[in-house]
Amino acid sequence: MTTTFCHHQTAFEGMHQLRLLSYNIQAGADTRRYREYVTHGWKQMLPHKEQRETLDRIAHLLKDYDVVGLQEVDSGSFRSGFIDQTAYLAEHAGFPYWFRQINRKLGKLAQHSNGVLSRVQPSVVTEHRLPGLPGRGAVLMEFQTNEKPLGICMMHLALGRRARLRQFSYISDLVSHYSHLVLMGDFNCGCSSQEFRYLMERTNLQGSPCDMMTFPSWRPNRKLDHILASPSLKVAKSEVLNYAHSDHLPISLVIELPKNVVFPHAA
């Protein structure tokens, strides 16, 4: 786990609520309509002046959250102007703890990654390569409480249904020992898919309503992004944010730990 900017650190002693956000930021490309996948496709491969402005807008949004999962970030290559986007967002949004997982390395051209940001210090952070073709991963963070730990697993799943089914099976086994659990990320499938139903049957999680669409950001009609929580955690608020600086919209969830369960002081 990489820790930086400790002067931003906040004490969480006695706190029992977390504001969570998951956001596929498309490496700062800011796609606004389908035709831009073609006309602005170069933004996925080359640096551009709007990219820094998009990251600054995203950082402004992230300031309101405690734990953030990011998908499709670049870890410092030619296409991002050699900016590690996870580190950049952590600094500009004031997060003391951050971690990047590079899933696909294309030398100096691109560093396709996941990123997590946190205001609470995790006790353990592990990264996992998911089954299927190379390039998909998950990051598991564990947070100590005065009782059982809280596990938060962030992931970006495959485009293919069979691969996603294998990945959900892997994730389900990975987190099966947690009583307090959050799964979040770009699942690349909706609530009605076979693989999503399989996950819910194995984990008995709850989450945001299935009619909260996240893709495409300019006319959302599919729910590809999810935040799910175990029954032990109360979902106080869930929403999709109208913050179209990617081809996905960000999704948020506010959870409350069980009564008398709190985070220890973040020293």
Side-chain angles (χ1 to χ4, degrees), residues 23-33 36-37 44 54 57-58 71-72 186 214-219 225 241-250:
Y23 198 2
N24 180 325
I25 70 167
Q26 203 188 15
D30 198 8
T31 301
R32 296 177 182 267
R33 51 189 61 86
E36 290 187 2
Y37 284 121
Q44 299 283 344
T54 298
R57 294 188 186 101
I58 292 173
Q71 306 87 46
E72 289 196 29
D186 179 356
T214 63
F215 181 88
S217 58
W218 55 91
R219 190 177 295 174
D225 306 88
L241 305 176
N242 186 21
Y243 211 76
H245 295 293
S246 167
D247 57 349
H248 289 244
L249 293 175

Side-chain angles (χ1 to χ4, degrees), residues 236-257:
K237 183 179 181 181
S238 61
E239 63 180 327
V240 173
L241 305 176
N242 186 21
Y243 211 76
H245 295 293
S246 167
D247 57 349
H248 289 244
L249 293 175
I251 186 168
S252 71
L253 201 73
V254 178
I255 59 168
E256 295 179 359
L257 295 173

Side-chain angles (χ1 to χ4, degrees), residues 103-121:
N103 293 309
R104 190 180 299 120
K105 297 181 181 181
L106 301 178
K108 294 183 178 180
L109 295 178
Q111 300 283 317
H112 298 271
S113 307
N114 291 326
V116 290
L117 316 175
S118 180
R119 301 192 189 283
V120 189
Q121 183 175 11

